[in-house]
Amino acid sequence: MIRYALLAMVSLTLLAGCKKSSETPVPSGPPHTFIMYMVADNNLWRYQRANVEMAMEAVAAGLPDNVRVLVYFDGQKDFMSEKQTTLSEIVVRDGQVIENELMNYGDQDSADPAVMQTVLKDAARFAPADTYGITLAAHGTGWFPPELVDVMNQRMPGMQPFVPEHDLRRPDDALTRAFGPDGDNYMTIGALAEGLTAIPFDYVIFDACFMASVETFYALRDVAPYIMTSPAEIMGNGIPYNKVLPVLADNRYTVEERLASAVNRIVDYYTGQPYPSAAFVTVRTDKLAALADAAKAVYAVAGEPDIDAIQPLEVIPTNHAFFDLEDYMRNITQNGDGNAQAAFDAFDRALDETIVAENHTVQIYSALGVWGGGFFDADRVCGISSYIPREELPVTRAAWLETEWAQQVYGA
């Protein structure tokens, strides 16, 4: 963990000495506001401060004049300070890059959708724009509601306690980041969808683990035209904003093209790191309805899944929680008749239409599991995960059946 913590110890004093680049910037375009929503009242605060410093580096190097970078940070800002909850703008002043504080909120729950809406409206008031983008940085567990993150103490009525169906907890020293918590409070996907409706986003980025699940994407399909995130765990360093922000700000290209480039920038960055692990995807949310229709047609003719043969996206030793969506659909149709194959082919075409860009390293690291983390082969990774409902896992199956995705596609 030390190798990652060192990054977070780069001081704002050092960054204040960064001079703005004399290189000719990209020409200005319509106003573009990028918001960093950092839920850091948890063990990720050091990494998230490092992410802010990466963004400061990008601003110091020179972004187009139409781009403004705002940071909402809820957590400690250094080892000596108390928790702060502020909204700031990264600006260049007198040739130096600084965080200019716009609002100080005091103590509040950043995992509350009403709080998120207030913050986002404040950001839009300070930096009105034609294009809005946001990155949400925290721990993330995909579609899983907070009560299923640790089911160690759950039991079925009249039965003895059972082994957790999917233990998604990470140890405090885990190298990966998982949305929430603010203290002990997590935000459900439904609450997140509500919070993000405050302003009209053109793209949403999750710097949090497992958020590229088809269940999550479907629940957030009306939030923004594009979503970029990871189907697996993200290493503690998070997204390298010093490399990604210049791409997102380059108005010579469409938002879709910028997000596709950002996917590759992230994976290229991690390929050269001590833990070479990354998987990222950008999706078009307007294609998710057609994807759901295609998945429903697959389930109508599907056989039983061979769980052990499907690409997992973590190393939970007992029961995997996240599987590759394409490999799952392929598995449950491969032994079927011509109708099953036709249904899979149609699904695959819909998936291609949904995915703008995907990239991943040859292996992916996971910190989950009783015996600690490890790498696994990423042979069949499309960039989107899915849960696989199983009768022997009744608590999680019941929760999954309540998701919008399951209700749309699964004839349970």
Side-chain angles (χ1 to χ4, degrees):
M1 185 169 179
I2 292 175
R3 61 172 60 87
Y4 296 101
L6 288 175
L7 263 180
M9 294 174 68
V10 177
S11 70
L12 291 178
T13 303
L14 288 175
L15 278 171
C18 293
K19 300 293 184 180
K20 189 172 183 178
S21 171
S22 60
E23 295 178 5
T24 303
V26 173
S28 292
H32 180 171
T33 295
F34 182 76
I35 302 166
M36 302 177 73
Y37 193 93
M38 317 296 279
V39 182
D41 186 17
N42 51 57
N43 61 351
L44 287 177
W45 72 266
R46 300 184 304 280
Y47 301 112
Q48 296 195 42
R49 283 311 303 170
N51 292 151
V52 175
E53 291 160 9
M54 290 176 181
M56 294 177 77
E57 181 183 334
V59 173
L63 296 180
D65 292 339
N66 66 302
V67 177
R68 299 176 68 176
V69 180
L70 273 61
V71 179
Y72 173 75
F73 198 91
D74 181 358
Q76 286 180 256
K77 295 191 175 181
D78 58 54
F79 283 97
M80 303 302 294
S81 70
E82 296 293 326
K83 171 190 169 183
Q84 300 178 58
T85 307
T86 59
L87 178 66
S88 303
E89 182 176 4
I90 301 175
V91 298
V92 176
R93 184 172 295 168
D94 298 326
Q96 295 182 326
V97 63
I98 64 168
E99 285 184 84
N100 178 41
E101 186 174 299
L102 304 173
M103 296 283 291
N104 191 319
Y105 294 99
D107 188 31
Q108 62 181 11
D109 178 8
S110 298
D112 183 329
V115 169
M116 177 178 280
Q117 287 198 350
T118 297
V119 170
L120 296 181
K121 289 175 182 177
D122 286 341
R125 177 167 55 88
F126 282 108
D130 293 345
T131 299
Y132 288 104
I134 188 171
T135 184
L136 298 117
H139 284 298
T141 52
W143 69 271
F144 275 69
E147 62 270 19
L148 290 188
V149 172
D150 172 21
V151 295
M152 183 71 75
N153 297 315
Q154 290 192 40
R155 67 183 71 194
M156 296 296 289
M159 298 178 64
Q160 295 298 312
F162 57 87
V163 174
E165 293 184 355
H166 306 287
D167 193 350
L168 299 179
R169 295 171 300 171
R170 289 167 179 76
D172 286 342
D173 60 348
L175 293 175
T176 61
R177 57 176 64 191
F179 197 72
D182 183 348
D184 294 325
N185 299 323
Y186 282 85
M187 183 178 281
T188 65
I189 296 304
L192 187 57
E194 178 186 347
L196 288 170
T197 60
I199 59 177
F201 283 107
D202 295 87
Y203 61 93
V204 170
I205 298 170
F206 286 101
D207 196 354
C209 302
F210 297 125
M211 299 305 284
S213 75
V214 71
E215 299 90 354
T216 300
F217 284 149
Y218 195 73
L220 300 178
R221 63 192 181 280
D222 297 324
V223 165
Y226 300 97
I227 301 176
M228 184 182 86
T229 186
S230 175
E233 288 165 79
I234 301 173
M235 300 305 296
N237 280 2
I239 291 174
Y241 294 92
N242 54 331
K243 299 182 182 299
V244 168
L245 263 176
V247 172
L248 295 176
D250 195 336
N251 54 66
R252 295 171 298 182
Y253 303 94
T254 65
V255 169
E256 183 171 306
E257 290 168 333
R258 296 180 224 176
L259 290 167
S261 294
V263 165
N264 293 326
R265 286 282 183 103
I266 296 167
V267 176
D268 287 348
Y269 167 80
Y270 275 105
T271 299
Q273 293 298 301
Y275 278 71
S277 172
F280 267 80
V281 69
T282 295
V283 301
R284 300 180 185 90
T285 57
D286 65 348
K287 301 297 183 180
L288 288 166
L291 185 69
D293 289 343
K296 185 175 183 177
V298 168
Y299 278 120
V301 295
E304 288 298 313
D306 181 356
I307 298 293
D308 293 337
I310 301 171
Q311 172 77 60
L313 291 165
E314 27 66 12
V315 296
I316 298 176
T318 307
N319 300 302
H320 291 295
F322 298 94
F323 295 86
D324 182 79
L325 173 63
E326 183 180 33
D327 203 42
Y328 171 34
M329 295 288 108
R330 180 188 296 110
N331 180 272
I332 58 178
T333 54
Q334 63 186 359
N335 295 322
D337 58 15
N339 289 333
Q341 186 59 54
F344 173 74
D345 290 343
F347 172 83
D348 224 23
R349 290 191 296 271
L351 186 64
D352 285 342
E353 288 290 314
T354 304
I355 295 174
V356 171
E358 186 280 331
N359 200 353
H360 60 273
T361 51
V362 294
Q363 289 189 314
I364 296 173
Y365 183 86
S366 173
L368 297 176
V370 175
W371 306 112
F375 282 92
F376 60 90
D377 292 333
D379 297 326
R380 304 179 307 280
V381 173
C382 75
I384 303 177
S385 74
S386 174
Y387 187 71
I388 300 178
R390 283 150 279 179
E391 295 286 352
E392 67 271 23
L393 303 172
V395 175
T396 312
R397 184 179 187 275
W400 183 79
L401 289 173
E402 293 297 316
T403 65
E404 289 185 70
W405 173 259
Q407 291 182 2
Q408 182 64 27
V409 307
Y410 193 73

